[in-house]
Amino acid sequence: MNSADQLKRIIGGQFEAALCMLNDCIEKCPESHWDSPIAKYPFWHVVYHTLCFVDVYLAPNDESWMPSTGEGGFHPAGRDELNEEYPSRRFTRDEMRSYMRACRSLLLEAMNAETEASLVGPSGFPHLAITRAELHLYSIRHVQHHTGQLGASLRRLGVQLRWVKTGWKD
């Protein structure tokens, strides 16, 4: 296995583990807690925000990211969903489950598309002057940051969450 393939395997495994732990929070959140505040935002909003930026940063670059608008889309207000403090509407658990599946598929596609040159090249996002490989690590850290917030609130309710070492675990 060459070094680029090994790096893609490592990044992909850790990214999937981070998403799996976020998914655990989505699945185990009591319905009565879905609108409860996590800092100043509802639980569902923190999930949505986290998945939005997974979605965006898995695109090859800022110009190629296309928000899913319309009926059943995850970005009813288009790119404004990223720029405004609050989303244009409330999202349900089922919608976040669907968004998680979509993001996981995007992750697998993105990892397959990466090459040694792309991993050491620019992130594709002008406001993030880092390499593409570092962008993936940055995204993992973002997922884990918000998963930690969500998980802490769930543990205070007595909800047990799992630690995932690598990859997606059903």
Side-chain angles (χ1 to χ4, degrees):
M1 178 182 295
N2 68 37
S3 58
D5 288 339
Q6 188 170 4
L7 184 57
K8 287 170 27 174
R9 184 186 58 75
I10 292 167
I11 291 171
Q14 289 304 304
F15 214 139
E16 271 202 313
L19 289 176
C20 187
M21 292 175 70
L22 175 60
N23 192 66
D24 212 27
C25 291
I26 295 168
E27 293 299 330
K28 293 182 178 176
C29 179
E31 194 58 42
S32 60
H33 194 65
W34 192 245
D35 290 300
S36 293
I38 306 300
K40 71 180 211 176
Y41 302 105
F43 189 99
W44 66 265
H45 181 186
V46 176
V47 172
Y48 178 72
H49 162 84
T50 306
L51 291 174
C52 274
F53 283 94
V54 167
D55 184 358
V56 170
Y57 291 143
L58 286 173
N61 55 56
D62 192 39
E63 297 78 35
S64 67
W65 182 73
M66 301 304 285
S68 62
T69 58
E71 182 80 22
F74 301 118
H75 316 102
R79 280 187 176 262
D80 286 343
E81 296 291 0
L82 305 176
N83 301 327
E84 298 297 326
E85 184 175 10
Y86 289 93
S88 59
R89 68 175 182 81
R90 180 185 185 275
F91 288 88
T92 67
R93 182 191 319 263
D94 283 342
E95 288 173 312
M96 293 301 91
R97 286 175 177 138
S98 294
Y99 202 8
M100 175 64 75
R101 285 190 298 274
C103 286
R104 189 165 171 230
S105 292
L106 290 170
L107 171 62
L108 299 174
E109 290 172 23
M111 287 300 111
N112 284 333
E114 296 292 3
T115 64
E116 186 172 357
S118 69
L119 287 169
V120 298
S123 71
F125 297 86
H127 63 282
L128 292 171
I130 55 181
T131 66
R132 186 80 180 156
E134 191 171 356
L135 175 66
H136 292 311
L137 297 177
Y138 175 89
S139 292
I140 292 167
R141 288 179 44 239
H142 181 249
V143 172
Q144 282 301 134
H145 167 73
H146 289 301
T147 300
Q149 291 177 313
L150 297 168
S153 82
L154 292 174
R155 284 189 296 279
R156 283 191 292 275
L157 299 175
V159 175
Q160 296 297 309
L161 300 166
R162 27 182 206 150
W163 178 262
V164 179
K165 293 177 188 161
T166 189
W168 186 270
K169 307 292 184 235
D170 286 319

